[in-house]
Amino acid sequence: GAGVSQSPSNKVTEKGKDVELRCDPISGHTALYWYRQSLGQGLEFLIYFQGNSAPDKSGLPSDRFSAERTGGSVSTLTIQRTQQEDSAVYLCATASRREGDTQYFGPGTRLTVL
Amino acid sequence: AQSVTQLDSHVSVSEGTPVLLRCNYSSSYSPSLFWYVQHPNKGLQLLLKYTSAATLVKGINGFEAEFKKSETSFHLTKPSAHMSDAAEYFCASRGSTLGRLYFGRGTQLTVWP
């Protein structure tokens, strides 16, 4: 079946602009995670959605970062007033108890802030 | 608190020789443990996972890992490296069911012909 998809695959933006990154989960997966991968920081957890529960936002680095998940399916990660240090690959993963809680990752969105 | 330490940032082996990638975890209880592989410009692919069943876990592409509670380790091994194994490998732990993953910093594996 189809895996996790993310769009766009690459995004180049100017400092100070807002960006939206999209994640389409595997159908039926109730859990959705955003991670960030950068050279200096490795793989960092950002935010986690599980069903209708309040999301775990403990990894968001600043209030410029927000995410939502509409209808328990598609998720959008928004970064406002982008900074150069936001340049990274943003990875989405989804999971379900039916599949043993394994997190399946999308290909990522490479964000470059000029 | 949970953490994962990958003891080598780079490992180089010759094709056909064994691979050992080391991972230690820190947790107040027995976590679930994972190894993921990432090829250049690709997402993370699950190699194998330990979830408190057998301590020796077999994964894809001939990889396996052994959970050793006394040593808090979960090292990844393969008897014979192949050129296609060249990639970055990440060890990760997870505490609660469907919880977030805690990743190590990664080990870059180079395979020489």
Side-chain angles (χ1 to χ4, degrees), chain A residues 24-105:
Chain A
D24 284 86
I26 294 171
S27 177
H29 279 201
T30 58
L32 187 147
Y33 313 77
W34 284 97
Y35 296 89
R36 178 169 72 173
Q37 185 175 26
S38 55
L39 280 176
Q41 302 298 322
L43 276 155
E44 301 173 273
F45 165 75
L46 296 177
I47 188 169
Y48 157 44
F49 297 89
Q50 166 53 18
N52 295 321
S53 303
D56 175 358
K57 304 179 182 180
S58 60
L60 295 178
S62 77
D63 58 7
R64 296 186 295 104
F65 288 72
S66 62
E68 62 177 22
R69 188 177 186 193
T70 53
S73 181
V74 171
S75 177
T76 302
L77 177 69
T78 301
I79 309 173
Q80 295 179 310
R81 305 181 303 281
T82 52
Q83 303 295 312
Q84 287 184 332
E85 61 262 30
D86 299 335
S87 296
V89 176
Y90 290 82
L91 294 167
C92 175
T94 69
S96 82
R97 284 196 171 88
R98 287 185 294 111
E99 297 184 45
D101 306 335
T102 297
Q103 292 186 24
Y104 295 92
F105 283 80

Coordinates of all heavy atoms in Angstrom, one line a residue, chain A residues 24-105:
Chain A
D24 N 0.9 13.4 4.5 CA -0.2 12.5 4.3 C 0.1 11.2 4.9 O 1.0 10.5 4.4 CB -0.5 12.4 2.8 CG -1.2 13.6 2.3 OD1 -0.5 14.5 1.9 OD2 -2.4 13.6 2.2
P25 N -0.6 10.7 5.9 CA -0.3 9.5 6.6 C -0.7 8.3 5.9 O -1.5 8.3 4.9 CB -1.0 9.6 8.0 CG -2.2 10.4 7.6 CD -1.8 11.4 6.5
I26 N -0.2 7.1 6.4 CA -0.7 5.9 5.9 C -2.2 5.8 6.4 O -2.5 6.1 7.6 CB 0.1 4.7 6.4 CG1 1.5 4.8 5.8 CG2 -0.5 3.3 6.1 CD1 2.5 3.8 6.4
S27 N -3.1 5.3 5.5 CA -4.5 5.2 5.9 C -4.7 4.4 7.1 O -4.2 3.3 7.3 CB -5.3 4.6 4.7 OG -6.6 4.5 5.1
G28 N -5.4 4.9 8.1 CA -5.8 4.2 9.3 C -4.8 4.4 10.4 O -5.0 3.9 11.6
H29 N -3.7 5.1 10.2 CA -2.7 5.3 11.2 C -3.2 6.4 12.1 O -3.4 7.6 11.7 CB -1.3 5.6 10.6 CG -0.6 4.4 10.2 ND1 0.8 4.4 10.1 CD2 -1.0 3.1 10.0 CE1 1.2 3.2 9.7 NE2 0.1 2.4 9.6
T30 N -3.3 6.1 13.4 CA -3.8 7.1 14.3 C -2.8 8.0 14.9 O -3.1 9.1 15.4 CB -4.6 6.4 15.5 OG1 -3.7 5.5 16.1 CG2 -5.8 5.6 15.0
A31 N -1.6 7.6 14.9 CA -0.5 8.4 15.5 C 0.4 9.0 14.4 O 0.7 8.4 13.4 CB 0.4 7.5 16.4
L32 N 0.7 10.3 14.6 CA 1.5 11.1 13.6 C 2.5 11.9 14.3 O 2.2 12.5 15.3 CB 0.6 11.9 12.7 CG 1.2 12.7 11.5 CD1 0.3 12.8 10.4 CD2 1.8 14.0 11.9
Y33 N 3.8 11.9 13.8 CA 4.9 12.5 14.5 C 5.6 13.4 13.4 O 5.7 13.0 12.3 CB 5.9 11.5 15.0 CG 5.3 10.3 15.7 CD1 4.7 9.3 15.0 CD2 5.4 10.2 17.1 CE1 4.1 8.2 15.7 CE2 4.9 9.2 17.8 CZ 4.3 8.1 17.1 OH 3.7 7.1 17.8
W34 N 6.1 14.5 13.9 CA 7.1 15.3 13.2 C 8.4 15.3 13.9 O 8.5 15.5 15.1 CB 6.6 16.8 13.1 CG 5.4 17.0 12.1 CD1 4.1 17.0 12.4 CD2 5.5 17.2 10.7 NE1 3.4 17.3 11.2 CE2 4.2 17.4 10.2 CE3 6.6 17.3 9.8 CZ2 4.0 17.6 8.8 CZ3 6.4 17.5 8.4 CH2 5.1 17.7 8.0
Y35 N 9.5 15.1 13.1 CA 10.8 15.2 13.5 C 11.6 16.2 12.6 O 11.2 16.4 11.5 CB 11.5 13.8 13.5 CG 10.9 12.8 14.4 CD1 9.9 12.0 14.0 CD2 11.4 12.6 15.7 CE1 9.4 11.0 14.8 CE2 10.9 11.6 16.5 CZ 9.9 10.8 16.1 OH 9.3 9.8 16.9
R36 N 12.7 16.7 13.1 CA 13.6 17.5 12.3 C 15.0 16.9 12.3 O 15.5 16.5 13.4 CB 13.6 18.9 12.9 CG 14.5 19.9 12.2 CD 14.2 21.3 12.6 NE 14.7 21.6 13.9 CZ 14.8 22.8 14.5 NH1 14.3 23.8 13.8 NH2 15.2 23.0 15.7
Q37 N 15.6 16.9 11.1 CA 17.0 16.4 11.0 C 17.9 17.5 10.5 O 17.7 17.9 9.3 CB 17.0 15.2 10.1 CG 18.3 14.5 10.0 CD 18.2 13.2 9.2 OE1 17.4 13.0 8.3 NE2 19.1 12.3 9.4
S38 N 18.8 17.8 11.3 CA 19.8 18.8 10.8 C 21.2 18.4 11.2 O 21.4 17.5 12.1 CB 19.5 20.2 11.4 OG 19.5 20.1 12.8
L39 N 22.2 19.0 10.5 CA 23.6 18.5 10.7 C 24.1 18.6 12.1 O 24.7 17.8 12.7 CB 24.5 19.2 9.7 CG 24.5 18.8 8.3 CD1 25.4 19.7 7.4 CD2 25.0 17.3 8.2
G40 N 23.7 19.7 12.7 CA 24.3 20.0 14.0 C 23.5 19.3 15.2 O 24.1 19.0 16.2
Q41 N 22.2 19.0 14.9 CA 21.4 18.5 16.0 C 20.9 17.1 15.8 O 20.2 16.6 16.7 CB 20.1 19.5 16.1 CG 20.5 20.9 16.4 CD 21.2 21.1 17.7 OE1 20.9 20.4 18.7 NE2 22.2 22.0 17.7
G42 N 21.2 16.5 14.8 CA 20.7 15.1 14.6 C 19.2 15.1 14.4 O 18.6 16.0 13.8
L43 N 18.5 14.0 14.9 CA 17.1 13.9 14.7 C 16.4 14.3 16.0 O 16.5 13.8 17.0 CB 16.8 12.4 14.5 CG 16.9 11.9 13.0 CD1 17.1 10.4 13.0 CD2 15.6 12.3 12.3
E44 N 15.6 15.4 15.8 CA 14.9 16.0 17.0 C 13.4 15.8 16.8 O 12.8 16.0 15.8 CB 15.1 17.5 17.0 CG 16.5 18.0 17.1 CD 16.5 19.5 16.9 OE1 16.6 20.0 15.8 OE2 16.4 20.2 18.0
F45 N 12.8 15.4 17.9 CA 11.3 15.3 18.0 C 10.7 16.7 18.0 O 11.2 17.6 18.7 CB 10.9 14.5 19.2 CG 9.5 14.6 19.6 CD1 8.5 14.0 18.9 CD2 9.1 15.4 20.7 CE1 7.2 14.1 19.3 CE2 7.8 15.5 21.1 CZ 6.8 14.8 20.4
L46 N 9.6 16.9 17.3 CA 8.9 18.2 17.3 C 7.6 18.1 18.0 O 7.3 18.7 19.0 CB 8.8 18.7 15.9 CG 10.1 19.0 15.1 CD1 9.8 19.5 13.7 CD2 10.9 20.1 15.9
I47 N 6.7 17.2 17.4 CA 5.3 17.2 17.9 C 4.7 15.8 17.6 O 5.1 15.2 16.6 CB 4.5 18.3 17.3 CG1 3.1 18.4 17.9 CG2 4.4 18.2 15.8 CD1 2.3 19.7 17.5
Y48 N 3.7 15.4 18.3 CA 3.1 14.1 18.2 C 1.6 14.2 18.4 O 1.1 14.8 19.4 CB 3.7 13.2 19.3 CG 3.0 12.0 19.7 CD1 2.3 11.1 18.8 CD2 3.0 11.6 21.1 CE1 1.7 10.0 19.3 CE2 2.3 10.5 21.5 CZ 1.7 9.7 20.6 OH 1.0 8.6 21.1
F49 N 0.8 13.6 17.4 CA -0.6 13.6 17.5 C -1.0 12.1 17.7 O -0.5 11.2 17.0 CB -1.2 14.1 16.2 CG -1.0 15.5 15.9 CD1 0.2 15.9 15.2 CD2 -1.8 16.5 16.3 CE1 0.4 17.2 14.8 CE2 -1.6 17.8 16.0 CZ -0.5 18.2 15.2
Q50 N -2.0 11.9 18.6 CA -2.5 10.5 18.8 C -4.0 10.7 18.9 O -4.6 11.2 19.8 CB -2.0 9.9 20.0 CG -2.7 8.6 20.5 CD -2.9 7.5 19.4 OE1 -2.2 7.6 18.4 NE2 -3.8 6.6 19.6
G51 N -4.7 10.2 17.8 CA -6.2 10.2 17.8 C -6.7 11.6 18.1 O -6.3 12.6 17.5
N52 N -7.7 11.6 19.0 CA -8.3 12.9 19.4 C -7.7 13.5 20.6 O -8.2 14.6 21.1 CB -9.8 12.6 19.7 CG -10.5 12.2 18.4 OD1 -10.3 12.7 17.3 ND2 -11.4 11.2 18.6
S53 N -6.6 13.0 21.1 CA -6.0 13.5 22.3 C -5.2 14.8 22.0 O -4.9 15.1 20.8 CB -4.9 12.5 22.9 OG -5.6 11.3 23.2
A54 N -5.0 15.6 23.0 CA -4.2 16.9 22.8 C -2.8 16.5 22.3 O -2.2 15.5 22.9 CB -4.2 17.7 24.1
P55 N -2.3 17.2 21.4 CA -0.9 16.8 20.9 C 0.1 17.1 21.9 O 0.0 18.0 22.7 CB -0.8 17.7 19.6 CG -1.7 18.8 19.8 CD -2.9 18.3 20.6
D56 N 1.2 16.3 21.8 CA 2.4 16.5 22.6 C 3.3 17.5 21.8 O 4.0 17.1 20.9 CB 3.1 15.2 22.9 CG 4.4 15.3 23.6 OD1 4.8 16.5 23.9 OD2 5.1 14.3 23.8
K57 N 3.4 18.7 22.3 CA 4.1 19.8 21.6 C 5.5 20.0 22.2 O 6.1 21.1 22.0 CB 3.3 21.1 21.6 CG 1.9 21.0 21.1 CD 1.2 22.4 21.2 CE -0.2 22.3 20.7 NZ -0.9 23.7 20.8
S58 N 5.9 19.1 23.1 CA 7.1 19.4 23.9 C 8.3 19.6 23.1 O 9.3 20.2 23.7 CB 7.3 18.3 24.9 OG 7.5 17.1 24.3
G59 N 8.4 19.2 21.9 CA 9.6 19.3 21.1 C 9.7 20.6 20.2 O 10.7 20.8 19.6
L60 N 8.6 21.3 20.1 CA 8.6 22.5 19.3 C 9.6 23.5 19.8 O 9.6 23.9 21.0 CB 7.2 23.1 19.2 CG 6.2 22.3 18.5 CD1 4.8 23.0 18.6 CD2 6.6 21.9 17.1
P61 N 10.6 24.0 19.0 CA 11.7 24.8 19.4 C 11.3 26.2 19.8 O 12.0 26.9 20.6 CB 12.7 24.8 18.3 CG 11.9 24.5 17.1 CD 10.7 23.6 17.5
S62 N 10.2 26.8 19.2 CA 9.8 28.1 19.5 C 8.3 28.3 19.2 O 7.7 27.4 18.5 CB 10.7 29.1 18.8 OG 10.2 29.2 17.4
D63 N 7.7 29.4 19.5 CA 6.3 29.6 19.2 C 6.1 30.0 17.7 O 5.0 30.2 17.3 CB 5.7 30.7 20.1 CG 6.5 32.0 20.0 OD1 7.4 32.2 19.2 OD2 6.2 32.9 20.8
R64 N 7.2 30.0 17.0 CA 7.1 30.2 15.5 C 6.6 28.9 14.8 O 6.2 28.9 13.7 CB 8.4 30.7 14.9 CG 8.9 32.0 15.4 CD 10.1 32.5 14.6 NE 11.3 31.6 14.8 CZ 11.7 30.7 14.0 NH1 11.1 30.6 12.8 NH2 12.8 30.0 14.2
F65 N 6.8 27.8 15.6 CA 6.4 26.5 15.0 C 5.0 26.1 15.5 O 4.7 26.2 16.7 CB 7.4 25.5 15.5 CG 8.7 25.6 14.8 CD1 9.6 26.6 15.1 CD2 9.1 24.6 13.8 CE1 10.9 26.7 14.5 CE2 10.3 24.7 13.2 CZ 11.2 25.7 13.5
S66 N 4.2 25.6 14.6 CA 2.9 25.1 15.0 C 2.5 23.9 14.1 O 3.1 23.8 13.0 CB 1.8 26.1 15.0 OG 1.6 26.7 13.7
A67 N 1.6 23.1 14.5 CA 1.2 22.0 13.6 C -0.3 21.7 13.9 O -0.7 21.9 15.1 CB 2.0 20.8 13.8
E68 N -1.0 21.2 12.9 CA -2.3 20.8 13.1 C -2.5 19.5 12.3 O -1.8 19.2 11.4 CB -3.3 21.8 12.7 CG -3.3 22.2 11.3 CD -4.4 23.2 11.0 OE1 -4.9 23.9 11.9 OE2 -4.8 23.3 9.8
R69 N -3.5 18.8 12.8 CA -3.9 17.5 12.1 C -5.4 17.6 11.9 O -6.2 17.5 12.9 CB -3.5 16.3 12.9 CG -3.7 15.0 12.1 CD -3.2 13.8 12.8 NE -3.3 12.7 11.9 CZ -3.2 11.4 12.3 NH1 -2.9 11.1 13.6 NH2 -3.2 10.4 11.4
T70 N -5.9 17.7 10.7 CA -7.3 17.8 10.4 C -7.9 16.5 10.2 O -7.5 15.7 9.4 CB -7.5 18.7 9.2 OG1 -6.7 18.2 8.1 CG2 -7.0 20.1 9.5
G71 N -9.0 16.3 10.9 CA -9.8 15.0 10.8 C -9.0 13.8 11.0 O -9.4 12.7 10.6
G72 N -8.0 13.9 11.8 CA -7.2 12.7 12.2 C -6.4 12.2 11.0 O -5.9 11.0 11.1
S73 N -6.2 13.0 10.0 CA -5.5 12.5 8.8 C -4.4 13.4 8.5 O -3.3 13.3 9.1 CB -6.5 12.3 7.6 OG -5.9 11.8 6.5
V74 N -4.5 14.2 7.5 CA -3.4 15.1 7.0 C -2.9 16.0 8.1 O -3.7 16.5 8.9 CB -3.9 15.9 5.8 CG1 -2.8 16.9 5.4 CG2 -4.2 14.9 4.6
S75 N -1.6 16.2 8.1 CA -1.1 17.2 9.1 C -0.3 18.2 8.3 O 0.4 18.0 7.3 CB -0.1 16.4 10.1 OG 0.5 17.4 11.0
T76 N -0.3 19.4 8.9 CA 0.5 20.5 8.3 C 1.4 21.1 9.4 O 0.9 21.4 10.5 CB -0.4 21.7 7.8 OG1 -1.3 21.1 6.8 CG2 0.4 22.8 7.2
L77 N 2.6 21.2 9.2 CA 3.6 21.9 10.1 C 3.8 23.3 9.5 O 4.2 23.4 8.3 CB 4.9 21.1 10.1 CG 6.0 21.7 11.0 CD1 5.6 21.7 12.5 CD2 7.3 21.0 10.8
T78 N 3.6 24.3 10.3 CA 3.8 25.7 9.9 C 4.9 26.3 10.6 O 5.0 26.2 11.9 CB 2.5 26.5 10.1 OG1 1.4 25.9 9.3 CG2 2.7 27.9 9.6
I79 N 5.8 27.0 9.9 CA 6.9 27.7 10.5 C 6.7 29.2 10.1 O 6.7 29.5 8.9 CB 8.3 27.3 10.1 CG1 8.4 25.7 10.3 CG2 9.4 28.0 10.9 CD1 9.7 25.2 9.7
Q80 N 6.5 30.1 11.1 CA 6.3 31.5 10.8 C 7.7 32.2 10.9 O 8.5 31.8 11.7 CB 5.3 32.1 11.8 CG 3.9 31.5 11.7 CD 3.0 32.1 12.7 OE1 3.3 32.1 13.9 NE2 1.8 32.5 12.2
R81 N 7.8 33.3 10.1 CA 9.0 34.1 10.2 C 10.2 33.3 10.2 O 11.0 33.3 11.1 CB 8.9 35.0 11.4 CG 7.6 35.8 11.5 CD 7.6 36.7 12.7 NE 7.7 36.0 14.0 CZ 6.7 35.3 14.6 NH1 5.5 35.3 14.0 NH2 7.0 34.7 15.7
T82 N 10.4 32.5 9.1 CA 11.5 31.5 9.1 C 12.9 32.2 9.3 O 13.1 33.4 8.9 CB 11.6 30.8 7.8 OG1 11.6 31.7 6.7 CG2 10.4 29.8 7.7
Q83 N 13.8 31.5 10.0 CA 15.1 31.9 10.3 C 16.1 30.9 9.6 O 15.7 29.8 9.3 CB 15.4 31.9 11.8 CG 14.5 32.8 12.6 CD 14.6 34.3 12.2 OE1 15.8 34.8 12.2 NE2 13.5 35.0 11.9
Q84 N 17.3 31.3 9.4 CA 18.3 30.4 8.7 C 18.5 29.1 9.5 O 18.7 28.1 8.9 CB 19.6 31.1 8.5 CG 19.5 32.2 7.4 CD 20.8 32.8 7.1 OE1 21.7 32.9 8.0 NE2 21.0 33.3 5.9
E85 N 18.4 29.2 10.8 CA 18.6 28.0 11.7 C 17.4 27.0 11.5 O 17.5 25.9 12.0 CB 18.8 28.3 13.1 CG 17.7 29.1 13.8 CD 17.9 30.6 13.8 OE1 18.6 31.1 12.9 OE2 17.3 31.2 14.8
D86 N 16.4 27.4 10.8 CA 15.3 26.5 10.6 C 15.6 25.5 9.4 O 14.8 24.6 9.2 CB 14.0 27.2 10.3 CG 13.5 28.1 11.4 OD1 13.9 27.8 12.6 OD2 12.8 29.1 11.2
S87 N 16.6 25.8 8.7 CA 17.0 25.0 7.5 C 17.3 23.6 8.0 O 18.1 23.4 8.9 CB 18.2 25.5 6.8 OG 17.9 26.8 6.3
A88 N 16.6 22.6 7.5 CA 16.7 21.2 7.9 C 15.8 20.3 7.0 O 15.1 20.9 6.2 CB 16.3 21.1 9.4
V89 N 15.9 19.0 7.3 CA 14.9 18.1 6.7 C 13.9 17.8 7.7 O 14.2 17.4 8.8 CB 15.6 16.8 6.2 CG1 14.6 15.9 5.6 CG2 16.7 17.1 5.1
Y90 N 12.6 18.0 7.3 CA 11.5 17.8 8.3 C 10.9 16.5 7.9 O 10.4 16.3 6.8 CB 10.5 19.0 8.2 CG 11.1 20.2 8.8 CD1 12.0 21.0 8.1 CD2 10.8 20.5 10.1 CE1 12.6 22.1 8.7 CE2 11.4 21.6 10.7 CZ 12.3 22.4 10.0 OH 12.9 23.5 10.6
L91 N 10.9 15.5 8.8 CA 10.4 14.2 8.6 C 9.1 14.0 9.3 O 8.9 14.4 10.5 CB 11.4 13.2 9.1 CG 12.7 13.1 8.3 CD1 13.8 12.3 9.1 CD2 12.5 12.5 7.0
C92 N 8.1 13.3 8.7 CA 6.9 12.9 9.2 C 6.9 11.4 9.4 O 7.4 10.7 8.5 CB 5.7 13.4 8.4 SG 4.1 12.9 8.9
A93 N 6.3 10.9 10.4 CA 6.1 9.4 10.6 C 4.8 9.2 11.1 O 4.2 10.0 11.8 CB 7.2 8.9 11.6
T94 N 4.2 8.0 10.8 CA 2.9 7.6 11.3 C 3.0 6.2 11.8 O 3.8 5.4 11.4 CB 1.8 7.8 10.3 OG1 1.9 6.8 9.3 CG2 1.8 9.2 9.7
A95 N 2.0 5.8 12.7 CA 2.0 4.5 13.3 C 0.6 4.1 13.7 O -0.3 5.0 13.9 CB 2.9 4.5 14.6
S96 N 0.4 2.8 13.9 CA -0.9 2.4 14.5 C -0.6 1.1 15.3 O 0.3 0.4 15.1 CB -1.8 2.0 13.4 OG -1.6 0.8 12.8
R97 N -1.5 0.9 16.3 CA -1.3 -0.3 17.2 C -1.5 -1.5 16.4 O -0.9 -2.5 16.6 CB -2.3 -0.2 18.3 CG -2.0 0.8 19.4 CD -2.8 0.6 20.7 NE -2.3 1.4 21.7 CZ -2.7 2.6 22.0 NH1 -3.6 3.2 21.2 NH2 -2.1 3.3 23.0
R98 N -2.3 -1.5 15.3 CA -2.6 -2.7 14.5 C -1.3 -3.2 13.9 O -1.2 -4.3 13.6 CB -3.6 -2.4 13.4 CG -5.0 -2.2 13.9 CD -6.0 -2.0 12.7 NE -5.7 -0.8 12.0 CZ -5.2 -0.7 10.7 NH1 -4.9 -1.8 10.1 NH2 -5.0 0.5 10.2
E99 N -0.4 -2.3 13.7 CA 0.9 -2.6 13.0 C 2.1 -2.6 14.0 O 3.2 -2.3 13.6 CB 1.2 -1.7 11.8 CG 0.1 -1.9 10.7 CD 0.4 -1.0 9.5 OE1 1.5 -1.1 9.0 OE2 -0.5 -0.3 9.0
G100 N 1.7 -2.9 15.2 CA 2.8 -3.0 16.2 C 3.5 -1.8 16.6 O 4.6 -1.8 17.1
D101 N 2.8 -0.6 16.4 CA 3.4 0.7 16.8 C 4.6 1.1 16.1 O 5.3 2.1 16.5 CB 3.6 0.7 18.3 CG 2.5 0.3 19.1 OD1 1.3 0.4 18.7 OD2 2.6 -0.3 20.3
T102 N 5.0 0.4 15.1 CA 6.2 0.8 14.3 C 5.9 2.1 13.6 O 4.9 2.3 13.0 CB 6.5 -0.2 13.3 OG1 6.9 -1.5 13.9 CG2 7.7 0.2 12.4
Q103 N 6.9 3.1 13.7 CA 6.8 4.3 13.0 C 7.3 4.2 11.6 O 8.5 3.8 11.4 CB 7.5 5.4 13.8 CG 6.8 5.7 15.2 CD 7.4 6.9 15.9 OE1 8.1 7.8 15.3 NE2 7.2 6.9 17.2
Y104 N 6.5 4.6 10.7 CA 6.9 4.6 9.2 C 7.1 6.0 8.8 O 6.3 6.8 9.0 CB 5.8 3.9 8.4 CG 5.6 2.4 8.7 CD1 4.7 2.0 9.6 CD2 6.4 1.5 8.1 CE1 4.5 0.7 9.9 CE2 6.2 0.1 8.3 CZ 5.3 -0.3 9.3 OH 5.2 -1.6 9.6
F105 N 8.3 6.2 8.2 CA 8.7 7.6 7.9 C 8.4 7.9 6.4 O 8.6 7.1 5.5 CB 10.2 7.8 8.2 CG 10.5 7.9 9.6 CD1 10.6 6.9 10.5 CD2 10.7 9.2 10.1 CE1 10.8 7.0 11.8 CE2 11.0 9.4 11.5 CZ 11.0 8.3 12.3

